[in-house]
Amino acid sequence: MRVLIVDDDTVDRESIKRSLFKSSFDCTISEAVSVDLALAECEENTYDIILLDYQLPQRNGIELLLELRQAPKKRYETIVMMSNSEDEAVALQCIQAGAQDFLLKNEITATKLRRTIIQAQKRFELERELKDSFDRVKRLAERDALTNLANRHLFDETFKVAVTNNQRQQAYLALILFDLDNFKLINDSFGHGAGDGLLIKVCKRISAVLRGSELFARLGGDEFIILLTNLHSPYDVARIAQRMQTAMQAPFEIDGKEFNISISIGISIDDGQTNHSSEELLKYADIAMYRSKQSGRGQISFFEETMQHETQRRLALENGIPKALKENEFFLVYQPVFSVDNSLLCGFEALIRWQSKAGLIPPDEFIPIAEQSFQIIEIGRWVAEQAIRQLSAWNKLRSHNNQLSIAINLSPTQLNDLEFPAIIKRICNAHQLAPSLVEFELTETAILESNSSTLAVLDQLVELGCTIALDDFGTGYSSISHLNSIPLTTVKLDKSLMPLNEKRNKTDALVTGLVQMLKILELDIVAEGVETAQHKTLCQSLNVTRQQGYYFDPGLTAHAVAERYLK
């Protein structure tokens, strides 16, 4: 028997050890003089019995008792509390905290200690059996016997609480209700054994594509429901539902037979403001699942039609991006950038466009989707390859030494692409272009989300020779501390800072102040959104470095650039 004595009194420990040896127990004894040392012992070893003094330095024995009983991993120690105090309230407190017995130190004898340990261990054994029995009953009441998922009762209780909490938090909550298409036919044709086996395997596949924080329940038969809380947007639900559908594509093997199974999904969403009841949300999910069945089975349907169209559009775009890259549907346009002091062309900003078979898709629609799905990594590499290759070709056509530069937008997600600096180096070497002619533009959001890893990517680009520009400056997020946090050389004034009319106003004064501050920081300044002669005159009076906008040219195709500027 392994025994741990926790007592800071040396004399008392020796007395307890003598009593143990006289009690005829075959035991191995360890000692600890404080709660923290005892916890460390219990982390390393398992003890059959802990003889625990009530009064200890810094923290008393009750604290150790509570920590052992509330530890996340299972504990199997029988605990007997000891004290010199004859106060019955102390003994009662120890028993209520979870000790199996209590001993007065001045009454400890070999016989009494032996009897107490035997009784405490038996009491502990009975407590464990009672607890295990309770857990089994609770599991039967809350878990589906076949799939081990939550059952209808647990789902209903949890769902009601989640809806109430969601209305306070005003986040997104969603239900994904689904069943197996043609399950009754399989059950009737191959027997309930095959049907049960199929349900178990379907649940395992679905669980594998969930986040892990959802409540996944079986409502009955082949009908299942998933509760999702704390969602950022309804689109998160659509992506999970699509993963579920994808997981069903491979056939299932049951008793040597293959079954191709599809699921029909219905989704209802609460945004925390519409105050739908739990009954209403469940009804809406059921209606949406019925629509999926009516649409040909194996479909995903939202109860809200506007959300249905929006998510279908977003999913179509996300799935279309790989094909667009493969079939060259993406292309670049180049907006010329001019020097303010002499109005000469000094470079371009590369802007991506998507010409799908259904029409031109604007960047503000597909770029956020590409970022959320991390496909922006591949798109960003493609943009860099195309832009650098094109700039190199243009510079080789120019007879004078005024080499053009190229500005390429870099999303926050791309800063997680640790291979990006090496790729840029390879592309520049392949097309014989100096990296100093390549400028990467970051949004203010990218700076706010920067960390040591993303800053390392920027540092590597700067070491390579590239320059870094802050795009859309002045829209409300940047501060001087942000300007100093990354290796910037250029700041681009957002087009919203350009005056709307000829009258001098606060915006005009704000631009003047921002430019003066940026000059003190020795940063190059580019004015975006130059659309009128007044804007051009303002840039000249402020003595910014470069300017671009529709006053000069919108984004032009490579062919149009060559025709207009390189002949």
Side-chain angles (χ1 to χ4, degrees), residues 1 30 85 90 107-108 112 117 173 190 253 267 279 297 304 344 371 380 437 458 462-463 466 473 504 531 544 551 560:
M1 181 173 64
S30 300
S85 173
V90 171
E107 294 181 355
I108 293 178
K112 187 163 188 175
I117 289 175
L173 173 148
F190 298 95
E253 184 177 333
I267 299 172
E279 292 81 5
R297 304 179 186 273
E304 302 84 352
L344 291 178
E371 289 180 331
L437 297 175
L458 291 177
V462 171
E463 288 174 11
C466 302
F473 182 74
R504 302 221 14 121
E531 298 182 355
V544 302
Y551 179 78

Side-chain angles (χ1 to χ4, degrees), residues 497-511:
L497 296 176
M498 290 292 106
L500 298 175
N501 51 52
E502 295 182 3
K503 293 181 180 179
R504 302 221 14 121
N505 53 34
K506 290 183 179 179
T507 301
D508 206 354
L510 175 62
V511 175

Side-chain angles (χ1 to χ4, degrees), residues 291-486:
R291 290 178 188 163
S292 291
K293 295 284 188 186
Q294 295 297 106
S295 300
R297 304 179 186 273
Q299 304 295 316
I300 300 172
S301 296
F302 283 77
F303 175 74
E304 302 84 352
E305 289 192 15
T306 54
M307 199 169 291
Q308 176 77 12
H309 297 315
E310 180 184 342
T311 53
Q312 283 181 337
R313 169 73 171 171
R314 290 178 69 97
L315 288 172
L317 291 178
E318 182 177 327
N319 294 333
I321 288 174
K323 181 181 177 183
L325 281 167
K326 184 178 180 180
E327 298 184 1
N328 297 317
E329 292 183 358
F330 290 117
F331 67 97
L332 297 182
V333 296
Y334 302 87
Q335 185 171 55
V337 180
F338 297 88
S339 172
V340 171
D341 59 357
N342 56 21
S343 296
L344 291 178
L345 177 70
C346 57
F348 298 91
E349 179 179 354
L351 303 166
I352 190 170
R353 300 290 183 264
W354 183 358
Q355 182 63 59
S356 74
K357 291 179 174 60
L360 189 65
I361 302 170
D364 59 359
E365 185 176 6
F366 72 81
I367 291 295
I369 295 172
E371 289 180 331
Q372 291 170 4
S373 61
F374 294 96
Q375 296 183 94
I376 196 68
I377 300 292
E378 194 64 30
I379 291 176
R381 294 179 179 185
W382 179 86
V383 169
E385 172 75 43
Q386 297 297 312
I388 291 172
R389 178 185 59 78
Q390 185 62 71
L391 183 71
S392 175
W394 285 337
N395 279 337
K396 288 174 183 177
L397 294 175
R398 294 169 66 83
S399 56
H400 46 82
N401 293 325
N402 182 22
Q403 293 285 282
L404 300 173
S405 64
I406 192 77
I408 300 172
N409 290 287
L410 206 58
S411 85
T413 307
Q414 285 178 267
L415 293 179
N416 295 303
D417 183 4
L418 302 182
E419 299 178 13
F420 192 69
I423 290 172
I424 297 303
K425 181 178 181 180
R426 176 186 58 76
I427 295 172
C428 287
N429 288 340
H431 297 291
Q432 299 177 328
L433 184 78
S436 58
L437 297 175
V438 180
E439 184 171 76
F440 289 102
E441 296 186 7
L442 295 173
T443 63
E444 295 178 327
T445 303
I447 295 176
L448 291 172
E449 296 176 359
S450 62
N451 52 45
S452 58
S453 177
T454 57
L455 289 175
V457 170
L458 291 177
D459 287 338
Q460 291 176 50
L461 290 172
V462 171
E463 288 174 11
L464 186 61
C466 302
T467 56
I468 307 297
L470 173 60
D471 199 9
D472 302 332
F473 182 74
T475 54
Y477 296 104
S478 287
S479 68
I480 295 175
S481 63
H482 294 142
L483 296 178
N484 289 327
S485 65
I486 61 174

Side-chain angles (χ1 to χ4, degrees), residues 108-123:
I108 293 178
T109 63
T111 302
K112 187 163 188 175
L113 184 57
R114 177 180 176 83
R115 184 170 61 249
T116 299
I117 289 175
I118 291 172
Q119 290 174 345
Q121 287 182 320
K122 186 61 178 178
R123 188 175 294 119

Side-chain angles (χ1 to χ4, degrees), residues 192-263:
H192 292 290
D196 288 349
L198 183 58
L199 291 176
I200 292 170
K201 291 197 173 186
V202 166
C203 291
K204 287 182 178 179
R205 280 201 198 173
I206 296 296
S207 297
V209 300
L210 297 179
R211 302 174 303 174
S213 58
E214 305 88 348
L215 176 63
F216 187 9
R218 183 188 182 194
L219 299 184
D222 66 321
E223 190 171 73
F224 299 86
I225 196 161
I226 300 169
L227 170 63
L228 302 102
T229 56
N230 297 319
L231 299 170
H232 297 298
S233 77
Y235 185 55
D236 294 338
V237 192
R239 296 186 66 174
I240 292 171
Q242 187 185 42
R243 291 203 301 265
M244 291 167 58
Q245 292 284 29
T246 302
M248 295 296 104
Q249 291 178 355
F252 292 86
E253 184 177 333
I254 307 292
D255 297 331
K257 301 181 181 65
E258 283 194 352
F259 297 90
N260 291 300
I261 297 299
S262 63
I263 57 177

